[in-house]
């Protein structure tokens, strides 16, 4: 059951066409400033480029042999992503701030922008990554063969000449595609939005395809997970796959640990992971979601790995089919050809995704960190003149991509058949893990030095070659295997896979242990015994303290003389005319000068140009180029310290300024509030003064008018004169009462009133007040009664003031009750809280609206006639008095039912000091 | 023909003073004790001049002024106020009071102003 | 706030590391069934899912 070659090729190219369209669209939108990848979901999906053909085909293969042991490769990233917010965020911040282009650039930049370190890291990457690319080619080629080839597997074994091998042409086609894809940009920047969009799309395709085949196999070919696992558990051979301990080697837990660690480091430092996760990151807040979405993606894509492996073993029988290709052979065996084609496309997307990002990332490294530094050694490319280099840069990258794929093909051709997919991948992982001490150490340890890194990398890489790379080549039959079995020159202690006699570990764990051990030991020891150069020290500060820096106050470690023209010229050569112009225009805007001509050629400008160039050609090359274009003064450690001191002073200033402006803001806010309060107090005072004026002028009006008339009219009858004089006297009394009360209220409110406190008997006070007013009640023919408790515990208060309150309440009541039938009841009640006194009348009552205002100053309610003698201050004064003794005063009334004024005095009252109203 | 003057004030003693004063000057005097009453009396039988207190219960002098000004454009109105704030003066003028007297007032000056306004209105009706 | 999140993440990292290491891993490496499924792989996936959920809660809750 196979598919026609033409169909598979056509569909594959159609798929690549779709990818290209997405990338093209993504780039176009990016240029318009409307990024389509500015989403945490796209970011998370792009990180899933971690899942390559290894995951897609190889995991099933590994699971069919070693069961759950395919998992550590995914548990490592799971654990790494828990720390994404802590570690990767710092990497992203550093990379964005200094326009880091690759993992080699990252490490080299940290250690003084050393071209040597950049080159070494690149070299290790290229050597380490080639098998990984070979793995992808092998997977696609094998999948293609299975899908199209004769079902008789022996035929594929016929040796082909290299020019007859379709894999070569596939590799070349891929290289062409990637060149179109990744190096079309006119702008030389480190970011590739279109590529990220396409990679995110590929991640969806491979996940859906894998889940599709998983569901088809589990539920279509078998009766679900229970069925598959049930059969596996009843088969002693397969039972082993479901257990951790399958009795293979004695150091199982070390291996498990090593694999998790390996995967954890790889997910950070594989060139393609660094590319999508750090360099292509749009917004570091996207990490928040990606940190758990990416592990979730890994979780989903691994769900059906074991079921498919078991299904393959059951269906074909052990050893009868290539387990790496179960995902294709199972649907094919069932006749589901189109599903198989879809699964193949899924595998193609897994492989191409990896190859695309990896080769773009590595070609950038080769160009920036290997070729450029070499070219810069020649006089032609340095200095202040010379032509446009962007074309050259692009050509280097394109050649590097072709070269990488050809190397991948070569490895596949030479060594590919000897290993399973996963084993090839692990070799690459172990190489990349060598970067961890230099990179992580550099991010957190200021004492790490470039010499330490060189020593660590050389030792680690050397041990990796000896313990892993050479054996893999030897086992492929291209080298004599003597040294494997007996050690070089018969020195068994140096046997690559049992170094110093360490046996019992599998080759990967063995190599990882020795290489990382040697790497870290050399890195730390040499770092401790060497002094960092000034440039290293300054870069160390910038990296380790990256979160401490905020706009404008970061130190600029550069000194010397520069000319703007030289820098413009240099930028144009490396970035192209337009991008260079934009760079200087932005700088002019940021420092607030009108035009490019007005930019001062200071350290900040040099720094900006160098950082921008670093985005195009890497920090090490940018350093060399800038150094050749300006007159630099060498940086000494003292200079670094001085610049740092200045920057931290600047930071302290700006911090102080910020604090000051914050506290000023706060003060302004407080002043505003105070002003508001004063204004409203002022308004209250105005209202009060206006009311007082009104109340004083009203009696004065009568007095003046009447006296003037008496003066002007000497013939006024005596009776009339007498009447007027009576009015004048009444109004004069009203005036003096008013003046007295205004003064009284003012004193109480200002806290200047005198209080003569003693133990008073409230009952006696009420009696006294009633006695003094009773004659006026009799005049009006009204009844005045007292009821309630008569034996009260004494209260601490001013007796005269309380009499004043009672008289006020009683005279108010007297005013409102009807003549002849008036009735006022005074009630005294004592409880645990204190004493409550109420004065109830049978007057017209007070409406709810008026009740609210009854205690306001000059607010007299009811008929004007009834309170002509009132001043409108009696109740406010009474309430002030009661509140002074910690009590409260209120009114209850229903219109037509009379009114009850009451107050309550607490037993243990705390005198309230007068407060301004 | 004797001119008719409406005194609108809620202070009884002020009403007594004004009533005596205006009668002495030979005017016919009507009295209203609050704004609502004043409004009612003006509508029922328009006087020649109103001495209108600004602060009255039920309806303030300003409210009365606002209500009658459109329907009785020729009616002379003197506002009386004890507050004497500039804002009150402006408010009275804006609402169309002919004059404004601050309490306590000089009786002679008040009589003077009343006469002046009434002469004016006489002149207007003659022309 | 930021410091709080970082500390919790580091704690979760070590918890995850311990859960996937000896001896905690050995506790349930047995020939047992859970709803007809083998205990060990199911347990690994369950632990994994649990870590993802806790991580998602830590990352998505509140702003840094």
């Amino acid at each position: 059951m196979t598919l026609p070659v033409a169909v598979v090729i056509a569909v594959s190219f159609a798929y690549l066409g779709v990818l290209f369209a997405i990338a093209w669209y993504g780039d176009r939108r990016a240029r318009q400033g409307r990024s389509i990848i500015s989403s945490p979901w796209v970011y998370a999906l792009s990180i899933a480029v971690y899942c390559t053909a290894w995951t897609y085909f190889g995991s099933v293969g590994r699971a069919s042999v070693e069961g759950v042991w395919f998992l550590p490769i995914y548990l490592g990233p799971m654990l790494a992503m828990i720390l994404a917010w802590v570690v990767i965020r710092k990497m992203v911040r550093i990379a964005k701030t200094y326009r880091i282009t690759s993992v080699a650039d990252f490490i080299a930049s940290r250690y003084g922008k050393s071209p040597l370190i950049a080159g070494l890291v690149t070299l290790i990457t290229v050597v380490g990554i080639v098998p990984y690319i070979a793995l992808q080619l092998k997977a696609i080629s094998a999948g293609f063969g299975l899908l199209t080839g004769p079902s008789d597997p022996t035929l594929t074994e016929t040796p082909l000449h290299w020019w007859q091998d379709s894999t070569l042409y596939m590799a070349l086609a891929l290289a062409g595609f990637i060149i179109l894809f990744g190096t079309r940009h006119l702008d030389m920047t480190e970011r590739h939005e279109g590529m990220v969009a396409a990679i995110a799309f590929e991640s969806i395709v491979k996940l859906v395809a894998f889940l599709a085949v998983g569901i088809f196999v589990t539920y279509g070919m078998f009766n679900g997970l229970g069925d598959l696992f049930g059969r596996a558990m009843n088969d002693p051979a397969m039972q082993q796959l479901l257990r951790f301990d399958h009795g293979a080697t004695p150091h199982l837990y070390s291996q498990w640990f090593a694999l998790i660690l390996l995967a954890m480091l790889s997910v950070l430092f594989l060139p393609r992971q660094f590319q999508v996760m750090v360099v292509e990151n749009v917004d570091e807040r996207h990490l928040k979601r990606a940190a758990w979405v990416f592990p979730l993606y890994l979780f989903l894509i691994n769900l059906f790995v074991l079921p498919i492996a078991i299904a393959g073993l059951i269906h074909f029988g052990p050893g009868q089919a290539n387990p790496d290709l179960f995902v294709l052979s199972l649907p094919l065996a069932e006749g589901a050809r189109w599903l198989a084609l879809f699964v193949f496309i899924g595998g193609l997307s897994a492989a191409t995704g990896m190859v695309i990002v990896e080769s773009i990332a590595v070609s950038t490294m080769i160009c920036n960190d290997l070729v450029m530094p070499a070219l810069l050694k020649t006089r032609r490319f340095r200095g202040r003149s010379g032509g446009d280099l962007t074309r050259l840069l692009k050509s280097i990258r394109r050649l590097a991509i072709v070269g990488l794929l050809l190397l991948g093909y070569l490895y596949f051709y030479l060594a590919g058949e000897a290993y399973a997919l996963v084993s090839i991948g692990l070799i690459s992982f172990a190489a990349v893990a060598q970067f961890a001490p230099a990179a992580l150490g550099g991010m957190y340890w200021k004492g790490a030095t470039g010499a330490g890194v060189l020593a660590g990398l050389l030792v680690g890489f050397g041990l990796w070659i000896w313990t892993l790379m050479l054996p893999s080549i030897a086992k492929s039959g291209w080298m004599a295997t003597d040294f494997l079995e007996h050690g070089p020159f018969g020195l068994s202690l140096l046997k690559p896979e049992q170094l110093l006699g360490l046996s019992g570990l599998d080759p990967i764990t063995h190599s990882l242990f020795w290489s990382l051990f040697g790497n870290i030991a050399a890195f730390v020891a040499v770092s401790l015994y060497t002094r960092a150069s000034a440039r290293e020290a300054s870069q160390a500060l910038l990296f380790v303290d990256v979160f401490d820096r905020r706009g404008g106050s970061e130190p600029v470690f550069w000194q010397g003389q520069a000319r703007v023209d030289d820098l413009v010229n240099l930028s144009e050569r490396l970035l192209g005319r337009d991008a260079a112009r934009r760079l200087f225009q932005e700088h002019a805007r940021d420092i607030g000068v009108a035009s490019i001509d007005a930019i001062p050629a200071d350290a900040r400008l040099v720094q900006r140009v160098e950082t921008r160039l670093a985005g195009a050609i890497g920090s090490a090359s940018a350093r060399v180029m800038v150094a050749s274009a300006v007159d630099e003064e060498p940086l000494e450690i003292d200079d670094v310290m001085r610049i740092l001191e200045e920057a931290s002073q600047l930071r302290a200033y700006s911090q102080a300024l910020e604090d000051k402006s914050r506290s000023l803001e706060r003060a302004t806010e407080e002043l505003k509030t105070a002003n508001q309060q004063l204004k409203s107090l002022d308004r209250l005072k105005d209202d009060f003064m206006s009311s007082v004026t009104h109340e004083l002028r009203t009696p004065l009006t009568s007095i003046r008018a009447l006296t003037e008339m008496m003066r002007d009219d000497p013939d006024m009858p005596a009776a009339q004169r007498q009447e007027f004089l009576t009015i004048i006297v009444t109004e004069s009394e009203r005036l003096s009462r008013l003046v007295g009360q205004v003064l009284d209220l003012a004193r109480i409110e200002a806290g200047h009133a005198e209080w003569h406190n003693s133990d008073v008997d409230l009952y006696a006070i009420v009696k006294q007040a009633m006695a003094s007013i009773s004659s006026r009640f009799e005049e009006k023919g009204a009844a005045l009664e007292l009821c309630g408790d008569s034996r009260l515990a004494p209260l601490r208060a001013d007796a005269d003031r309380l009499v004043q309150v009672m008289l006020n309440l009683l005279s108010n009541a007297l005013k409102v009750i009807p003549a002849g039938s008036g009735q006022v009841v005074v009630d005294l009640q004592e409880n645990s809280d204190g004493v409550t006194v109420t004065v109830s009348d049978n007057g017209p009552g007070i409406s709810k609206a008026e009740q609210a205002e009854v205690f306001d100053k000059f607010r007299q309610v009811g008929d004007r006639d009834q309170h002509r003698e009132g001043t409108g201050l009696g109740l406010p004064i009474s309430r002030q008095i009661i509140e002074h003794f910690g009590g409260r005063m209120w009114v209850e009334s229903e219109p037509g039912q009379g009114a009850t004024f009451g107050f309550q005095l607490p037993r243990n009252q705390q005198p309230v000091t007068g407060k301004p109203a | 023909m004797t001119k008719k003057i409406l005194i609108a004030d809620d202070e009884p003693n002020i009403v007594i003073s004004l009533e005596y004063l205006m009668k002495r000057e030979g005017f016919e005097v009507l009295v209203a004790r609050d704004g609502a009453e004043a409004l009612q009396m003006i509508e029922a039988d328009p006087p020649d001049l109103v001495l209108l207190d600004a602060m009255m219960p039920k309806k303030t002098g300003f409210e009365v002024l606002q209500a009658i000004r459109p329907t009785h454009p020729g009616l002379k109105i003197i506002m009386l106020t004890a507050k004497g704030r500039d804002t009150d003066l402006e408010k009275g003028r804006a609402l169309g009071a002919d004059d404004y007297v601050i309490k306590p007032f000089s009786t002679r000056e008040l009589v003077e102003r009343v006469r002046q306004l009434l002469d004016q209105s006489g002149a207007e009706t003659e022309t | 706030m930021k410091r709080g999140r970082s500390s919790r993440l580091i704690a979760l990292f070590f918890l995850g590391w311990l859960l996937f290491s000896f001896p905690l891993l050995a506790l349930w490496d047995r020939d047992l069934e859970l709803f007809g499924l083998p205990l060990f792989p199911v347990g690994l996936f369950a632990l994994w899912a649990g870590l993802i959920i806790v991580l998602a809660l830590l990352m998505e809750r509140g702003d840094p």
Side-chain angles (χ1 to χ4, degrees):
Chain A
M1 221 28 178
T2 57
L3 282 153
V5 174
V7 169
V8 178
I9 289 181
V11 171
S12 301
F13 273 95
Y15 174 73
L16 291 182
V18 170
L19 277 192
F20 187 77
I22 292 172
W24 180 82
Y25 181 65
D27 279 334
R28 209 181 67 150
R29 288 284 294 256
R31 271 199 302 282
Q32 294 167 349
R34 297 183 300 151
S35 171
I36 53 168
I37 66 165
S38 182
S39 146
W41 298 99
V42 173
Y43 180 58
L45 284 172
S46 72
I47 298 175
V49 73
Y50 183 75
C51 298
T52 65
W54 165 346
T55 305
Y56 201 86
F57 299 107
S59 276
V60 173
R62 187 165 172 95
S64 70
V65 181
E66 307 202 35
V68 294
W69 280 78
F70 71 97
L71 268 179
I73 296 305
Y74 307 96
L75 296 179
M78 164 79 244
L79 293 175
M81 292 313 279
I82 294 178
L83 289 182
W85 190 250
V86 183
V87 179
I88 300 176
R89 191 164 63 103
K90 188 164 188 177
M91 292 163 73
V92 169
R93 180 70 66 90
I94 292 170
K96 271 192 198 308
T97 311
Y98 306 112
R99 298 197 73 141
I100 301 292
T101 54
S102 66
V103 63
D105 198 10
F106 187 85
I107 295 172
S109 177
R110 159 65 180 82
Y111 298 100
K113 305 186 180 177
S114 153
L116 189 58
I117 293 178
L120 181 59
V121 172
T122 304
L123 198 68
I124 295 174
T125 306
V126 172
V127 175
I129 226 66
V130 163
Y132 207 169
I133 292 176
L135 180 163
Q136 311 302 323
L137 299 179
K138 174 175 171 169
I140 301 177
S141 145
F144 182 76
L146 183 75
L147 211 55
T148 60
S151 8
D152 182 1
T154 51
L155 272 178
T156 55
E157 301 278 319
T158 29
L160 287 164
H161 292 291
W162 60 266
W163 66 86
Q164 289 172 295
D165 188 354
S166 60
T167 312
L168 171 64
Y169 299 105
M170 186 186 74
L172 288 175
L174 258 178
F177 178 70
I178 294 164
I179 286 169
L180 275 179
F181 203 92
T183 59
R184 288 177 302 115
H185 287 287
L186 294 175
D187 279 3
M188 299 296 293
T189 61
E190 68 275 30
R191 298 194 47 228
H192 312 72
E193 292 224 345
M195 177 195 80
V196 174
I199 293 309
F201 173 74
E202 296 219 274
S203 290
I204 297 174
V205 171
K206 67 194 178 201
L207 179 62
V208 171
F210 198 87
L211 287 176
V213 69
I215 290 167
F216 173 80
V217 169
T218 310
Y219 297 98
M221 296 175 63
F222 293 85
N223 294 320
L225 291 174
D227 178 27
L228 273 172
F229 282 121
R231 296 205 207 182
M233 282 185 286
N234 290 326
D235 181 326
M238 280 194 271
Q239 215 176 353
Q240 291 296 334
L241 302 180
L242 308 176
R243 291 286 306 276
F244 178 82
D245 188 350
H246 48 67
T249 60
H251 298 294
L252 273 183
Y253 282 101
S254 312
Q255 282 182 38
W256 183 265
F257 175 89
L259 287 173
I260 289 182
L261 179 69
L262 200 53
M264 215 161 75
L265 298 178
S266 299
V267 86
L268 295 178
F269 298 113
L270 276 169
R272 68 172 190 285
Q273 294 306 126
F274 191 88
Q275 183 76 29
V276 293
M277 214 154 54
V278 179
V279 179
E280 307 282 356
N281 175 289
V282 178
D283 181 339
E284 66 184 48
R285 282 171 302 184
H286 290 172
L287 263 176
K288 259 199 285 183
R289 183 151 303 148
W292 64 269
V293 174
F294 170 51
L296 181 64
Y297 184 98
L298 295 179
F299 179 88
L300 291 175
I301 208 164
N302 277 299
L303 267 180
F304 287 105
V305 168
L306 261 183
I308 294 173
I310 293 167
L313 290 175
I314 294 171
H315 190 86
F316 298 109
Q320 295 305 302
N322 181 356
D324 278 348
L325 296 177
F326 276 169
V327 284
L328 284 175
S329 50
L330 280 170
L332 276 181
E334 284 296 298
R337 290 198 301 168
W338 297 110
L339 175 65
L341 182 60
F342 178 47
V343 173
F344 174 74
I345 292 298
L348 187 67
S349 76
T352 53
M354 181 276 180
V355 178
I356 289 169
V357 186
E358 202 85 84
S359 55
I360 287 177
V362 176
S363 71
T364 306
M365 284 163 72
I366 293 173
C367 168
N368 291 353
D369 302 313
L370 218 51
V371 180
M372 277 300 284
L375 285 181
L376 291 176
K377 290 225 182 298
T378 64
R379 198 153 276 287
R380 245 189 84 197
F381 293 97
R382 305 169 72 150
R384 300 172 192 207
S385 58
D388 187 343
L389 290 178
T390 54
R391 212 169 266 284
L392 175 71
L393 287 172
K394 235 170 289 177
S395 308
I396 296 172
R397 287 182 193 184
R398 287 173 179 167
L399 279 175
I401 289 170
V402 176
L404 262 179
L405 280 158
L406 286 179
L407 275 176
Y409 172 72
L410 191 68
Y411 188 93
F412 160 76
Y413 188 74
L414 297 180
E417 299 302 320
Y419 279 90
L421 294 178
V422 170
S423 310
I424 299 177
L426 285 174
I427 295 173
S428 293
F429 272 27
V432 164
Q434 303 308 320
F435 302 148
L440 291 175
M443 282 164 65
Y444 294 98
W445 182 31
K446 287 181 193 161
T449 69
V453 167
L454 279 175
L457 285 177
L458 285 172
V459 170
F461 185 52
L463 283 166
W464 172 80
I465 289 186
W466 183 247
T467 56
L468 206 55
M469 193 64 185
L470 287 182
S472 89
I473 294 172
K475 284 179 191 167
S476 311
W478 292 88
M479 270 171 76
T481 53
D482 282 1
F483 75 105
L484 276 183
E485 283 147 29
H486 310 296
F489 319 113
L491 292 170
S492 64
L493 276 183
L494 296 183
K495 277 199 289 187
E497 295 189 328
Q498 283 100 34
L499 204 61
L500 301 184
L502 180 65
S503 62
L505 292 174
D506 68 311
I508 290 289
T509 311
H510 174 264
S511 171
L512 185 70
F513 168 74
W514 280 121
S515 59
L516 270 189
F517 173 77
N519 184 334
I520 293 173
F523 168 61
V524 173
V526 175
S527 286
L528 290 176
Y529 279 92
T530 49
R531 257 176 75 92
S533 71
R535 191 151 296 282
E536 274 177 57
S538 62
Q539 287 301 101
L541 289 167
L542 294 178
F543 268 55
V544 176
D545 298 334
V546 70
F547 283 121
D548 296 349
R549 317 235 172 272
R550 268 176 305 178
S553 66
E554 67 189 74
V556 179
F557 295 107
W558 186 84
Q559 54 190 13
Q561 304 290 319
R563 294 194 325 127
V564 176
D565 285 350
D566 291 337
L567 291 169
V568 170
N569 191 16
L570 180 67
S571 305
E572 281 177 353
R573 287 173 63 204
L574 288 164
L575 304 171
R577 190 170 285 275
D578 294 343
R581 180 151 290 277
R582 274 200 300 280
L583 167 67
F584 283 85
Q585 276 164 354
E586 270 169 31
H587 186 69
R589 201 168 49 240
D590 288 354
I591 62 171
V593 299
S595 69
I596 295 179
D597 304 328
I599 296 176
D602 58 3
R604 202 158 282 283
L605 174 71
V606 175
Q607 152 103 345
R608 182 159 193 158
V609 169
E610 186 175 330
T611 307
R612 179 65 181 82
L613 294 186
I617 57 171
S619 56
S621 303
R623 180 85 281 280
V624 176
M625 289 301 257
V626 168
S628 70
V630 298
D631 294 324
E632 291 192 344
E633 291 164 23
L635 206 60
E636 302 294 333
I637 283 283
D638 292 344
D639 299 325
V640 171
M641 290 340 241
R642 177 179 52 76
I643 292 167
L644 191 70
E645 180 67 19
E646 281 166 7
S648 74
Q649 268 173 15
L650 200 65
R651 195 157 69 241
Y653 281 142
S654 75
Q655 184 71 41
L657 208 62
E658 215 169 274
D659 289 351
K660 190 130 262 173
S661 83
R662 241 200 310 277
S663 73
L664 265 178
E665 228 165 71
R666 229 181 357 254
T668 312
E669 205 50 50
E670 279 165 15
L671 272 178
K672 248 187 220 162
T673 320
N675 192 31
Q676 215 80 56
Q677 279 172 349
L678 273 179
K679 264 190 191 157
S680 79
L681 273 181
D682 206 37
R683 214 166 22 247
L684 277 179
K685 204 177 182 74
D686 261 9
D687 287 347
F688 180 71
M689 288 311 295
S690 166
S691 299
V692 169
T693 309
H694 182 267
E695 294 303 311
L696 290 172
R697 279 178 171 173
T698 298
L700 271 177
T701 306
S702 309
I703 293 169
R704 182 174 180 187
L706 293 172
T707 42
E708 279 185 10
M709 286 188 298
M710 285 194 285
R711 179 196 62 194
D712 293 346
D713 197 358
D715 304 330
M716 189 182 281
Q720 184 70 61
R721 196 174 283 270
Q722 191 58 41
E723 187 198 332
F724 284 178
L725 282 173
T726 311
I727 294 177
I728 290 170
V729 170
T730 315
E731 292 291 351
S732 303
E733 283 169 1
R734 181 176 161 191
L735 258 181
S736 25
R737 203 164 49 236
L738 188 73
V739 169
Q741 288 198 334
V742 167
L743 290 176
D744 201 17
L745 187 67
R747 269 201 298 269
I748 295 175
E749 286 189 343
H752 297 322
E754 284 179 28
W755 305 89
H756 303 285
N757 289 352
S758 58
D759 287 336
V760 298
D761 179 1
L762 204 52
Y763 183 75
I765 282 170
V766 170
K767 287 290 272 189
Q768 186 192 335
M770 286 171 68
S772 68
I773 204 171
S774 61
S775 60
R776 287 169 61 196
F777 272 80
E778 279 160 23
E779 276 171 29
K780 207 173 179 178
L784 179 60
E785 284 171 43
L786 175 64
C787 61
D789 301 335
S790 60
R791 298 180 65 83
L792 303 170
L795 284 166
R796 191 84 190 156
D798 183 327
D800 291 344
R801 289 290 188 185
L802 293 184
V803 171
Q804 186 186 347
V805 171
M806 276 312 296
L807 277 176
N808 182 260
L809 294 182
L810 289 172
S811 63
N812 280 351
L814 180 63
K815 273 182 252 170
V816 298
I817 52 176
S821 61
Q823 201 171 16
V824 174
V825 179
V826 180
D827 184 61
L828 275 149
Q829 294 293 335
E830 185 173 37
N831 62 18
S832 56
D833 293 340
V835 184
T836 303
V837 182
T838 55
V839 177
S840 308
D841 63 60
N842 63 340
I846 306 170
S847 72
K848 282 271 179 269
E850 286 177 320
Q851 283 174 33
E853 300 179 334
V854 81
F855 292 104
D856 291 354
K857 288 161 208 157
F858 301 113
R859 199 61 59 119
Q860 296 177 320
V861 300
D863 263 349
R864 190 77 189 171
D865 279 349
Q866 291 167 344
H867 50 67
R868 214 170 320 135
E869 304 135 46
T871 57
L873 289 175
L875 281 174
I877 290 176
S878 298
R879 182 147 86 163
Q880 292 271 357
I881 292 169
I882 296 300
E883 284 176 355
H884 174 82
F885 292 116
R888 61 189 187 91
M889 189 173 235
W890 65 89
V891 61
E892 288 165 2
S893 177
E894 286 290 327
Q897 313 254 323
T900 299
F901 280 85
F903 64 86
Q904 194 234 4
L905 282 175
R907 182 149 308 289
N908 297 316
Q909 73 273 26
Q910 292 288 326
V912 176
T913 46
K915 54 183 192 302
Chain B
M1 182 188 147
T2 47
K3 300 281 186 176
K4 213 166 11 177
I5 293 181
L6 174 65
I7 298 169
D9 201 321
D10 61 327
E11 277 289 332
N13 290 339
I14 293 179
V15 170
I16 289 171
S17 322
L18 286 173
E19 194 176 0
Y20 184 87
L21 183 68
M22 291 302 143
K23 275 186 177 158
R24 194 187 69 185
E25 296 299 321
F27 296 115
E28 188 186 337
V29 174
L30 302 168
V31 171
R33 293 309 187 87
D34 59 55
E37 196 183 348
L39 200 55
Q40 202 181 349
M41 288 174 72
I42 293 168
E43 295 292 347
D45 179 16
D48 296 290
L49 184 142
V50 185
L51 291 172
L52 188 58
D53 183 29
M55 294 277 289
M56 281 188 294
K58 294 187 182 163
K59 267 193 164 57
T60 68
F62 297 116
E63 285 167 336
V64 174
L65 185 58
Q66 202 166 17
I68 57 169
R69 195 31 106 198
T71 49
H72 300 78
L75 178 59
K76 299 295 171 187
I77 295 168
I78 299 178
M79 292 292 292
L80 303 177
T81 180
K83 288 205 169 173
R85 279 197 297 205
D86 290 348
T87 48
D88 282 8
L89 279 163
E90 279 163 26
K91 195 170 166 188
R93 287 211 197 289
L95 290 172
D98 294 286
D99 208 342
Y100 205 95
V101 173
I102 293 171
K103 294 176 180 178
F105 44 78
S106 149
T107 45
R108 285 179 192 167
E109 195 185 325
L110 180 66
V111 169
E112 192 65 28
R113 292 196 191 186
V114 169
R115 286 208 179 284
Q116 213 175 342
L117 278 175
L118 287 175
D119 284 354
Q120 247 178 44
S121 79
E124 277 164 22
T125 43
E126 275 160 30
T127 52
Chain C
M1 181 74 194
K2 192 194 105 202
R3 183 156 292 281
R5 173 180 282 161
S6 296
S7 315
R8 283 175 207 155
L9 289 171
I10 291 168
L12 181 66
F13 172 78
F14 282 108
L15 175 71
W17 191 277
L18 284 175
L19 286 174
F20 289 135
S21 305
F22 185 83
L24 290 177
L25 207 57
L27 284 182
W28 33 281
D29 180 22
R30 298 152 198 251
D31 280 324
L32 287 177
E33 284 182 25
L34 197 72
F35 311 117
L37 300 173
L39 177 67
F40 188 68
V42 169
L44 270 184
F45 274 94
L47 273 185
W48 190 356
L51 276 182
I52 291 173
I53 290 166
V54 177
L55 180 59
L57 287 177
L58 275 179
M59 296 309 288
E60 296 286 338
R61 210 176 41 191
D63 276 292

